[in-house]
Amino acid sequence: MNTFPVLGILMLPVALGTFLTACLTRREPLPWPLTVAVGFGAGTGIVTNFFIVMCYLPVTERFLWVNILAGVTAAVLFALCVFAGVFRRRPAAPSGMIRFSTLLVAAAVLYIAAFIVWCGTNIPIISWDTFETMGLKSKSIYTSQSLNHIPFRDKYDYPLHMPILMAWISKSIGVWDNISLKLIFTLAAAAAAAVLGYVLRAWTSLRWAVLGVALLFASGFLIFHSTIAYRDVTMMYFNCTTVLLILMWQRSAGKMTVVLPALFAGLTSFIKLEGFGYMAMHNALWLAVLFFAKNMSVREKVTRQLAFTAISVGVYLIFAVYKWMYILPAVPDLAADPTHFDLNRVALAGGGGVGHRIARVAWRYFENMFLSGNWNLVWLLFVLSLTRLDRIRQSETVRFLLLFLGMFFAVYFFGYALTQHFVWVADKHDVLSRSILHVYPLVVAVICLINAGDDRSVPERGLSPSG
Amino acid sequence: MTESPSVSTPTASHAAYAGGVTALFAVTGWVLCLIGGYSFPEALDLVARRSYQPHHNFMTYIFISGLSLTCYLFLMIAVTVMTMRFAARTFEGILKPFADWSWAAHARRVTVIAVIGMFAMQLISLHGYWGNARQIFGGKAGYAKTNIQQTKMIAEALGKAAGHRPYKAALVTDLDTRDGKGLLERHILAYFLWPVDISGIYQKEDDAWIAFHKKDAARHVPAGYTVLYQIDDENLIAVVAQK
């Protein structure tokens, strides 16, 4: 078991990401646990992108160079944090009375957390996708320190964040450990829960933050995915953190940095193929936030939109350009590959029966959200929460969250109903649950934000006490 | 007239409301069991044991008489909401715990209690699942007690015999590796064999030959190959003979 070596080497990206987050949020500081939870994603994303950058260069010991680059960057960011005095200016978590019922819910959440950690540190890689795609790709990167073998594997166009991260950890600790590597999936779930909890803590109350995290883990599907080596919980973490960072920016009235949500939007595209679509939705959400922003000139809005798009697309291009230049041209029989997942190849499905396909996809969604064992009764609670139109009218944040969820469901619904991807939902359960998982924390956030007013009047405010 | 503190304090009223809803759930559940011919305690036990049935693509709920458990929950919620709405109107003035008495407000509160109830059931089920997982994976057992262990041991033995060199091997097997369990076996073998490649990743001619669950494997070794290591009748690795 290499739990501690894995945790030890992960300190490097976590430190890098935490210092970067602390630096970028120096004007609108976040609480430390939230800074670290965001830093986990930023740091691991930067490290894997460093590897892609190294793949453009004619070097051999690429992981060594990644470590040097990450170490130097973390040191520079640490020095910047010290000089800027950001360590002295973190807001303390607001104190308050904790009710017994809240403690009871917290105890249940802690039990589930203990279960997830136990699974993450005891159950080895046993899942289909990990053996089939991610694991073998990762092992080939681990042994070759390159992406040379990727064109000759199935699903060669999949983004490579997780395979590279697994290979980097293994190379850094000197051994491939089928159990300890799963820690990164556990940590992604923990980071997602921490981000949601702290955001709800700041926007509502401690009680609703605990309830929000409990609602998150009321989903058995999320619990199970936190214990296996699939990329969907990581995708969920990056996608939802991006949306919540965008809304933090909106609530801070533009005081927070543009860079952090834009960086996360770009990194989202590097987890799964769907991430590219999510990045486009993040850009659309950002556009909507800017469109409705008050006290901001058109010039400022245009500048910020350009900055967001340039950073997110720039991060996306690091891998996309490598893929177009080196991976796709090397794929044998690329044009003849019928099961190609690339979004560039999405085509309208020919023939009639569009009505039948729409009805079928609608039924599949209903079945998944309301009749399965995936989500407890959270979707019913979500629908019932939407009846509180007065609360939705009061809260701009809720409206933006609903806008994002609307885009998500519209794209997927018509994507499945009108394209060749209908096959994935028509008679199979392969993709729908996992795609819904990618936005599940946002559904919980909407429920909590709408209903939090039951306790007290919740003014719209940012994360920091001054916000 | 002043209201009694025991009624007007939110905690007591919330508790009374929650108690009423829970009692109604129990009654409707019991009636449903009577109609379906099930024992109520046994049905509760079934839900508690099987609320957490993990699957990486879709978690099926318990099906009773051809319907998902959630259908019965929706029915119980609907009955409870109607009853609570009726009770709230009937006892208006005595019990005023909430500002909003609308249908939707009742539905939200009742659903929250249903979510908590299902969450509790899920925790009980998860506790049982954890106990089973501890028996299989506890004590750093790894794959030892799983059905992956045999394939892993074969792959590791063959890989070790190959000196963990990057051979490109042709795979021969009696398993149907096009779909299902056979395909998974192939993926597991490929994963544990690496850097020996059975997936056509290395861009070179085959320089190894692997028999995996192939009867009389030794008889099928192609000409020009020498057996490097044979585990049993069905599993072996051969490499191109040195010229």
Side-chain angles (χ1 to χ4, degrees), chain A residues 50-73:
Chain A
F50 275 169
F51 181 79
I52 299 290
V53 172
M54 286 298 146
C55 287
Y56 284 101
L57 306 173
V59 289
T60 49
E61 291 293 326
R62 291 195 172 95
F63 286 120
L64 178 66
W65 282 106
V66 166
N67 285 342
I68 292 170
L69 207 53
V72 169
T73 313

Side-chain angles (χ1 to χ4, degrees), chain B residues 104-177:
Chain B
H106 280 296
R108 280 193 301 273
R109 286 180 211 126
V110 170
T111 306
V112 165
I113 293 165
V115 169
I116 293 168
M118 288 313 296
F119 188 46
M121 291 294 183
Q122 189 173 278
L123 275 180
I124 296 168
S125 181
L126 186 138
H127 181 75
Y129 177 86
W130 194 356
N132 291 338
R134 274 201 298 266
Q135 284 182 2
I136 298 169
F137 298 107
K140 298 172 185 174
Y143 295 100
K145 296 174 190 169
T146 69
N147 50 12
I148 292 171
Q149 176 71 359
Q150 191 198 10
T151 306
K152 177 178 176 276
M153 284 179 69
I154 292 170
E156 286 179 349
L158 298 179
K160 190 177 173 194
H164 300 293
R165 279 190 289 273
Y167 283 111
K168 186 184 179 198
L171 180 71
V172 183
T173 178
D174 287 337
L175 300 176
D176 180 0
T177 58

Side-chain angles (χ1 to χ4, degrees), chain B residues 220-226 239-241:
Chain B
H220 295 89
V221 177
Y225 282 76
T226 55
V239 295
V240 171

Side-chain angles (χ1 to χ4, degrees), chain B residues 11-29 76-88 91 95 97-98 101 106 109-111 113-114:
Chain B
T11 311
S13 296
H14 281 81
Y17 193 93
V21 170
T22 311
L24 280 166
F25 276 149
V27 170
T28 44
M76 287 162 72
I77 289 169
V79 170
T80 307
V81 168
M82 284 189 278
T83 314
M84 290 310 285
R85 163 97 171 159
F86 173 75
F91 300 109
L95 195 69
F98 306 107
W101 279 124
H106 280 296
R109 286 180 211 126
V110 170
T111 306
I113 293 165

Side-chain angles (χ1 to χ4, degrees), chain A residues 24-307:
Chain A
L24 291 173
T25 56
R26 65 188 179 281
R27 281 191 297 161
E28 187 79 349
L30 311 178
W32 271 117
L34 180 57
T35 311
V36 175
V38 172
F40 169 77
T44 50
I46 289 171
V47 160
T48 52
N49 273 284
F50 275 169
F51 181 79
I52 299 290
V53 172
M54 286 298 146
C55 287
Y56 284 101
L57 306 173
V59 289
T60 49
E61 291 293 326
R62 291 195 172 95
F63 286 120
L64 178 66
W65 282 106
V66 166
N67 285 342
I68 292 170
L69 207 53
V72 169
T73 313
V76 170
L77 287 168
F78 177 74
L80 281 175
C81 284
V82 171
F83 286 124
V86 294
F87 292 131
R88 293 193 300 271
R89 289 193 289 150
R90 298 282 109 179
S95 57
M97 270 277 286
I98 301 173
R99 295 186 198 187
F100 177 72
S101 57
T102 310
L103 281 177
L104 209 61
V105 174
V109 171
L110 283 177
Y111 183 80
I112 292 171
F115 168 73
I116 292 171
V117 170
W118 185 86
C119 291
T121 52
N122 284 276
I123 300 181
I125 288 166
I126 48 171
S127 34
W128 181 294
D129 273 18
T130 318
F131 286 128
E132 185 199 6
T133 53
M134 201 164 55
L136 194 56
K137 272 185 195 171
S138 186
K139 275 194 164 181
S140 80
I141 297 168
Y142 166 63
T143 51
S144 69
Q145 299 203 41
S146 74
L147 303 179
N148 294 344
H149 300 313
I150 300 298
F152 312 107
R153 281 289 305 149
D154 289 344
K155 297 159 189 174
Y156 41 79
D157 56 343
Y158 278 19
L160 294 168
H161 172 75
M162 295 311 281
I164 292 172
L165 192 59
M166 288 165 77
W168 169 76
I169 290 170
S170 301
K171 203 72 191 175
S172 300
I173 66 170
V175 63
W176 183 277
D177 187 325
N178 289 302
I179 298 177
S180 302
L181 274 177
K182 277 181 66 229
L183 265 176
I184 48 176
F185 302 93
T186 309
L187 290 174
V195 170
L196 178 72
Y198 269 89
V199 167
L200 288 177
R201 173 81 185 87
W203 291 350
T204 58
S205 63
L206 175 64
R207 190 173 178 223
W208 279 98
V210 174
L211 277 175
V213 176
L215 275 181
L216 191 69
F217 288 113
S219 156
F221 193 70
L222 172 61
I223 295 175
F224 184 58
H225 266 265
S226 305
T227 66
I228 60 173
Y230 272 43
R231 295 170 298 164
D232 295 279
V233 162
T234 311
M235 180 82 258
M236 175 194 88
Y237 161 69
F238 274 95
N239 184 36
C240 295
T241 303
T242 310
V243 173
L244 293 175
L245 283 169
I246 290 171
L247 296 179
M248 280 182 213
W249 184 91
Q250 177 256 327
R251 291 174 77 112
S252 76
K255 276 195 280 178
M256 217 181 97
T257 174
V258 179
V259 179
L260 205 53
L263 174 71
F264 263 80
L267 292 177
T268 303
S269 70
F270 195 37
I271 314 298
K272 293 189 80 175
L273 279 177
E274 299 95 304
F276 175 74
Y278 297 149
M279 186 186 74
M281 287 183 215
H282 296 150
N283 274 273
L285 179 66
W286 184 257
L287 182 67
V289 165
L290 284 177
F291 184 79
F292 291 106
K294 299 174 187 87
N295 306 324
M296 200 178 282
S297 67
V298 174
R299 186 191 164 86
E300 277 177 314
K301 288 181 180 182
V302 170
T303 311
R304 283 178 169 155
Q305 181 64 52
L306 286 176

